[in-house]
Amino acid sequence: LLEMSRLLRESKPPVGVDIVFFDGEDYGFEGVQEDYILGSSYFASHMSRYNPEAVIIVDMVGEKGAEIKRERFSEIYSGQLMDELYEIADSLGVSSFSDEKGSHILDDHIPFIRRGIPAVDLIDFDYPQWHTLEDTPDKCSPGSLEGVGRVLIEYIWTRGRDTR
């Protein structure tokens, strides 16, 4: 995301882009919905005149051998946005995007979906080191991160051309 910020600063895209970091995603007890996604829920509930055209959450996408399946809430409520991203990934040859159906995941995209804003969760949830002491930088792949970044940058530029 920092590299994307640098690229977007160097060459201003045709649409506005906000990069937002949320906190409190996994606070509390697992399975207790009220204890999860606190930062994004607060943000979404306090948007007055700020209404993004789309929200793309990137979460756990840097694993070596990442496989980003089609998260089910994203697919159901924001299928067109999901399709656009996966078509871009396919056209760029980014193999970490899998057309396979994934799980329903309670994540930071949900508060935006509830507000009627197209939102997708790009996530590789099959990550055995999640929430363990084994979740260390050596498990990351610059290639996986680059692939996701390329898809997002292409989406930003393509979306900007389409909305002019």
Side-chain angles (χ1 to χ4, degrees):
L1 293 175
L2 293 174
E3 177 63 10
M4 284 182 56
S5 297
R6 187 188 68 75
L7 291 172
L8 294 172
R9 186 182 65 236
E10 280 182 4
S11 183
K12 186 174 169 36
V15 293
V17 176
D18 297 308
I19 297 177
V20 181
F21 295 87
F22 298 118
D23 195 11
E25 178 198 26
D26 295 336
Y27 180 80
F29 298 100
E30 188 171 350
V32 180
Q33 211 168 358
E34 298 77 33
D35 289 345
Y36 272 49
I37 58 175
L38 299 180
S40 57
S41 294
Y42 180 87
F43 185 88
S45 69
H46 287 81
M47 297 182 339
S48 54
R49 286 176 270 150
Y50 175 74
N51 284 304
E53 289 182 31
V55 172
I56 302 169
I57 303 297
V58 290
D59 193 351
M60 299 183 349
V61 297
E63 176 190 10
K64 291 178 183 174
E67 184 178 22
I68 304 166
K69 298 175 184 172
R70 289 177 173 261
E71 190 276 330
R72 296 301 296 139
F73 289 125
S74 303
E75 185 89 347
I76 293 166
Y77 296 103
S78 306
Q80 182 178 347
L81 175 57
M82 179 75 83
D83 289 344
E84 287 179 58
L85 294 168
Y86 277 72
E87 287 169 14
I88 290 169
D90 185 53
S91 73
L92 295 175
V94 178
S95 61
S96 57
F97 283 69
S98 168
D99 249 348
E100 187 177 329
K101 293 188 186 312
S103 303
H104 292 84
I105 298 175
L106 177 64
D107 207 350
D108 292 311
H109 61 314
I110 299 297
F112 299 97
I113 288 173
R114 287 178 179 151
R115 288 199 53 153
I117 298 167
V120 301
D121 188 14
L122 299 178
I123 186 168
D124 178 5
F125 203 65
D126 297 324
Y127 181 61
Q129 296 83 15
W130 180 63
H131 285 192
T132 72
L133 295 176
E134 298 300 314
D135 188 5
T136 53
D138 61 300
K139 308 300 185 304
C140 293
S141 163
S144 294
L145 292 170
E146 178 191 10
V148 172
R150 288 177 53 221
V151 170
L152 295 177
I153 290 292
E154 182 64 23
Y155 171 78
I156 290 165
W157 283 92
T158 301
R159 176 71 137 186
R161 287 191 298 267
D162 291 347
T163 58
R164 282 187 177 172

